Amino acid sequence: GQNIDQPTEMTATEGAIVQINCTYQTSGFNGLFWYQQHAGEAPTFLSYNVLDGLEEKGRFSSFLSRSKGYSYLLLKELQMKDSASYLCAVRDRDYKLSFGAGTTVTVRA
Amino acid sequence: IAGITQAPTSQILAAGRRMTLRCTQDMRHNAMYWYRQDLGLGLRLIHYSNTAGTTGKGEVPDGYSVSRANTDDFPLTLASAVPSQTSVYFCASSETGTAGAETQYFGPGTRLLVL
């Protein structure tokens, strides 16, 4: 099984940078995903890491260290629309995802 | 419109009643999933299906059943609803079986209240 931890809440100012950490313990690692979920909506895919290192996609970047069981999602140049929950999910060798409880990010003007 | 649809959008159900949540995808994905999302607990996998004709149990399968008669549809049935099944239910689908970034795509969710 998987044990996935991420902070419950974070607050940041518009235009700033926020880093959301995720640690995991897994019995079979086959990739790590980050999803964004706005209140009352479905989760949507943000990023995917399977090898160590940084993946950059515009204002969002995700980092993975498999040896440390650690990932982070970096949100740059924060905008009000980035206020949402961010879900860390680990995929096992059967292609099933296990999700963390999510981090609610509030962006303030 | 391509994607995943779920029905109903929301439902209030009396305890003890039987209920089927519907999920349909038109992306021809092999795999489909049912999750429930509860405050503070995140998304938890109820049941999944890697291909039509097969199903498997997830983390919290008790009280739920599924079937996968074809590629597109994956209904979730609560045989006798209990208040602890009050939750938001998300259906998802993905390609599977390849070592790539195939992500899961989620439907809009069904909000269920069991009284």
Side-chain angles (χ1 to χ4, degrees):
Chain A
Q2 325 282 8
N3 185 18
I4 302 167
D5 291 315
Q6 49 182 129
T8 303
E9 294 179 332
M10 302 183 76
T11 301
T13 305
E14 197 174 14
I17 299 173
V18 69
Q19 178 175 314
I20 306 169
N21 295 325
C22 173
T23 59
Y24 64 90
Q25 295 173 318
T26 178
S27 57
F29 180 82
N30 191 21
L32 188 141
F33 294 78
W34 285 95
Y35 284 81
Q36 180 189 58
Q37 185 177 25
H38 284 101
E41 298 182 7
T44 56
F45 170 73
L46 281 180
S47 70
Y48 165 75
N49 296 72
V50 69
L51 300 177
D52 292 351
L54 188 68
E55 294 285 340
E56 297 187 84
K57 292 178 66 175
R59 294 189 298 112
F60 294 177
S61 303
S62 57
F63 171 84
L64 175 67
S65 169
R66 288 171 295 170
S67 63
K68 295 182 178 179
Y70 169 69
S71 173
Y72 68 71
L73 179 69
L74 194 68
L75 286 62
K76 294 177 282 189
E77 301 171 15
L78 279 172
Q79 302 175 9
M80 299 300 289
K81 67 179 182 179
D82 298 329
S83 292
S85 286
Y86 293 85
L87 313 179
C88 174
V90 174
R91 184 173 64 188
D92 65 18
R93 298 199 184 282
D94 293 326
Y95 294 90
K96 298 193 300 294
L97 291 180
S98 293
F99 286 82
T103 299
T104 299
V105 172
T106 302
V107 181
R108 294 182 173 170
Chain B
I1 299 176
I4 302 178
T5 58
Q6 293 183 235
T9 302
S10 64
Q11 182 75 44
I12 299 174
L13 188 67
R17 297 296 296 270
R18 179 184 179 89
M19 174 78 189
T20 295
L21 308 185
R22 300 184 297 279
C23 175
T24 299
Q25 55 104 358
D26 62 3
M27 296 177 283
R28 307 304 293 175
H29 284 164
N30 297 327
M32 297 187 74
Y33 312 85
W34 273 106
Y35 295 90
R36 59 178 291 174
Q37 188 173 36
D38 303 289
L39 195 63
L41 295 177
L43 286 157
R44 292 181 292 168
L45 183 65
I46 304 171
H47 285 287
Y48 65 96
S49 169
N50 283 334
T51 188
T54 69
T55 62
K57 293 182 179 180
E59 180 184 354
V60 288
D62 294 343
Y64 306 94
S65 63
V66 292
S67 61
R68 187 87 184 279
N70 57 60
T71 298
D72 299 342
D73 301 301
F74 191 42
L76 176 74
T77 297
L78 288 67
S80 179
V82 294
S84 61
Q85 292 178 310
T86 292
S87 187
V88 180
Y89 291 86
F90 287 102
C91 179
S93 72
S94 71
E95 291 293 341
T96 190
T98 59
E102 63 275 4
T103 186
Q104 292 185 15
Y105 296 89
F106 286 80
T110 294
R111 285 147 185 80
L112 181 65
L113 173 62
V114 182
L115 299 176

